C-alpha cells in the first residue's frame, strides 16, 4: 500500500533550510543559492544500516520485484526520511525515475521537475534551469555566484582524483568522495573541510597490469570495492562519480558544466570521455557495472563495440555482498589481465 500523507501535493514557498531530496545529479547550485539543503537520497539509502529492508518495504508498498532496486530504495528512503520536496529530472535520468516521481506526487510529496535537453542544446538547458530559478526564488546572479563558490570544492575533488591516479588514494575512497559531490553532503563548506582533512593517503606499490576503471551506475553491492582491493585490482577511475563531481570541466562556466556532464546524454556521448580517460589513466581493463532491470544494461553493447581493452560486465540486483559467482568472475578477470 502506498503511504499517503495528509495533504495532496501542494506547491509551497521555498523556505531556507528546506530539505530538497535529489535522486541524481541536478543543478545543485540552484538549491544552495536558495538556502535550501540538497539531500542525495541514493547516498542515504545505500549507507542505511539495512538497505535491503528498505527495498523489501517498497515491494510491500506495491513496487514490482522486477524493478530496479535503486528505485525501490529511493522511494522508501524518501518516505522514511519524511522528505517533502524532491527535485527530479523528467528527462536525463531514466523512465523508472519518471514513474517514481509520479508515485511520489501521489503520496503528497512535491516533485519539482526539470529536464536535461537530450541534444545538449545550451539554449534549452538555460530555459530549463531558468524555470527552476523562479521555482526556487533565486536570480541567475545568485546561482552563478554559488557556482563560483563551489569551484574550490571541485578543485579539491580534482586533487583527490589526481592522487587516485597516482595510487595515493584508494578506488573506494575516490568513489565515496566523488559520489558525495552530488549534494556536497548538504553543506559545501563542511564537506570541503572534511575532504581536506582526509586521513587516508596510502602509498601503494602500483600494479600496472591491474589498473582498472568502473563504468556504469554506482554498484549496489555493499562490499564491491573491498572485494576488488582484496583481489588486487587498482581502481583508478570511477566514471559516474567523476562525472557527478564535474572535475573534468573545472575551467568551464556553470551552464557548460551541465552540458559536459555526460550521464544524461546517452552512451555515445559518454564514450568520448571514457576513451580519453582510458588513455590518460593507463587503464588495462574495465568493469562495467550494470543494475538488474535497468535499461542501461543495453548500453553494454555500445561499450563493447567501441572499447578495445578487456571488459567484464557485472550485474547486481539487491543491496547485499557480492555473490560467489560474480566473485569468481572477478578472480578470472584478474587472471586475464
Ligand atoms: S540503475 Fe538504471 S533503472 Fe535504476 S535508477 Fe539508475 S538509471 Fe534508473
Amino acid at each position: 500500500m502506498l503511504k499517503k500523507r495528509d495533504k495532496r501535493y501542494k506547491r509551497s514557498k521555498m523556505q531556507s533550510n528546506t530539505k530538497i531530496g535529489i535522486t541524481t545529479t541536478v543543478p545543485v547550485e540552484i538549491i544552495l543559492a536558495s538556502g535550501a539543503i540538497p539531500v542525495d537520497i541514493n547516498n542515504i539509502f545505500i549507507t542505511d544500516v539495512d538497505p535491503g529492508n528498505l527495498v523489501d518495504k517498497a515491494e510491500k508498498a506495491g513496487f514490482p520485484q522486477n524493478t530496479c532496486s535503486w528505485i525501490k530504495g529511493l522511494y522508501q528512503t524518501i518516505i522514511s526520511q519524511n522528505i517533502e520536496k524532491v527535485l527530479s529530472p523528467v528527462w536525463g535520468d531514466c523512465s523508472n525515475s519518471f514513474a517514481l516521481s509520479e508515485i511520489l506526487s501521489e503520496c503528497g510529496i512535491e516533485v519539482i521537475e526539470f529536464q536535461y535537453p537530450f541534444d545538449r542544446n545550451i539554449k534549452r538547458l538555460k530555459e530549463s534551469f531558468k524555470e527552476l530559478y523562479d521555482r526556487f526564488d533565486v536570480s541567475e546572479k545568485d546561482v552563478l555566484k554559488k557556482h563560483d563558490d563551489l569551484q574550490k570544492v571541485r578543485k579539491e575533488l580534482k586533487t583527490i582524483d589526481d592522487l587516485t591516479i597516482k595510487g595515493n588514494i584508494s578506488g573506494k575512497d575516490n568513489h565515496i568522495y566523488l559520489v558525495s559531490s552530488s549534494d556536497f553532503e548538504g553543506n559545501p563548506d563542511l564537506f570541503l573541510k572534511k575532504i581536506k582533512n582526509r586521513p587516508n593517503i596510502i602509498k601503494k606499490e602500483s600494479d600496472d597490469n591491474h589498473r582498472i576503471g568502473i563504468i556504469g551506475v554506482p554498484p549496489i553491492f555493499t562490499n564491491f570495492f573491498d572485494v576488488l582491493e582484496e583481489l588486487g585490482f587498482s581502481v583508478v577511475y570511477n566514471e559516474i562519480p567523476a562525472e557527478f563531481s564535474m572535475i573534468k570541466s573545472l575551467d568551464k562556466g556553470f551552464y557548460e558544466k551541465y552540458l559536459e556532464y555526460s550521464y544524461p546524454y546517452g552512451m555515445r556521448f559518454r564514450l568520448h570521455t571514457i576513451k580519453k580517460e582510458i588513455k590518460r589513466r593507463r587503464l588495462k581493463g574495465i568493469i562495467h557495472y550494470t543494475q538488474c532491470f535497468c535499461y542501461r544494461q543495453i548500453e553494454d553493447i555500445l561499450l563493447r563495440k567501441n572499447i578495445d581493452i578487456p571488459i567484464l560486465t557485472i550485474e547486481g540486483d539487491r543491496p547485499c555482498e557480492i555473490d560467489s559467482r560474480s566473485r569468481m568472475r572477478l578472480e578470472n578477470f584478474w587472471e586475464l589481465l
Side-chain angles (χ1 to χ4, degrees), residues 295-313:
Y295 80 100
R296 290 183 184 273
Q297 287 180 306
I298 303 168
E299 295 173 338
D300 197 59
I301 301 169
L302 286 172
L303 191 67
R304 286 176 181 279
K305 271 203 151 172
N306 288 280
I307 299 296
D308 53 9
I309 59 172
I311 300 172
L312 175 71
T313 304

Side-chain angles (χ1 to χ4, degrees), residues 2-13:
L2 287 182
K3 292 251 184 320
K4 277 210 180 194
R5 295 200 181 143
D6 296 346
K7 291 173 286 179
R8 282 294 307 268
Y9 155 71
K10 197 164 147 252
R11 182 175 162 141
S12 58
K13 198 168 159 45

Side-chain angles (χ1 to χ4, degrees), residues 131-281:
E131 280 179 26
L132 290 178
Y133 297 168
D134 292 342
R135 184 64 198 91
F136 281 84
D137 201 14
V138 292
S139 66
E140 184 180 44
K141 198 172 154 212
D142 298 332
V143 173
L144 297 183
K145 160 98 179 46
K146 193 49 78 179
H147 162 264
D148 293 349
D149 292 347
L150 290 177
Q151 281 291 83
K152 55 183 183 299
V153 192
R154 291 186 167 128
K155 275 185 190 151
E156 191 60 29
L157 290 168
K158 168 94 170 69
T159 303
I160 286 174
D161 196 48
D162 289 344
L163 286 168
T164 308
I165 297 174
K166 288 184 189 153
N168 295 140
I169 286 186
S170 70
K172 179 181 179 176
D173 288 328
N174 174 281
H175 172 88
I176 294 170
Y177 290 135
L178 298 189
V179 92
S180 304
S181 63
S182 54
D183 64 357
F184 300 104
E185 296 184 349
N187 184 328
D189 292 334
L190 282 183
F191 180 68
L192 179 60
K193 255 191 207 158
K194 178 176 157 182
I195 61 176
K196 277 195 161 176
N197 292 330
R198 58 186 174 269
N200 44 5
I201 290 277
I202 51 170
K203 187 72 206 152
K204 259 193 355 190
E205 288 300 312
S206 87
D207 173 3
D208 268 5
N209 288 331
H210 295 95
R211 291 174 70 85
I212 59 162
I214 311 296
I215 306 295
V217 298
I220 205 162
F221 293 122
T222 49
N223 62 344
F224 185 68
F225 287 94
D226 298 326
V227 170
L228 294 183
E229 206 156 295
E230 193 190 310
L231 293 176
F233 288 105
S234 300
V235 177
V236 292
Y237 181 40
N238 286 304
E239 182 221 354
I240 296 299
E243 289 298 314
F244 288 171
S245 68
M246 308 207 171
I247 50 177
K248 73 174 183 200
S249 50
L250 265 183
D251 57 337
K252 300 265 169 43
F254 168 61
Y255 297 109
E256 289 76 12
K257 275 192 176 62
Y258 286 89
L259 289 180
E260 289 297 314
Y261 165 55
S262 64
Y263 187 67
Y265 304 116
M267 188 47 134
R268 277 183 301 165
F269 182 58
R270 278 169 60 198
L271 278 166
H272 292 297
T273 307
I274 294 170
K275 282 182 180 173
K276 267 192 217 154
E277 295 301 332
I278 287 174
K279 273 202 186 129
R280 190 169 81 88
R281 298 174 193 246

Side-chain angles (χ1 to χ4, degrees), residues 45-61:
F45 158 53
I46 205 62
T47 55
D48 188 272
V49 283
D50 191 358
N53 183 41
L54 294 170
V55 173
D56 291 344
K57 281 185 173 169
E59 285 174 356
K60 279 193 191 125

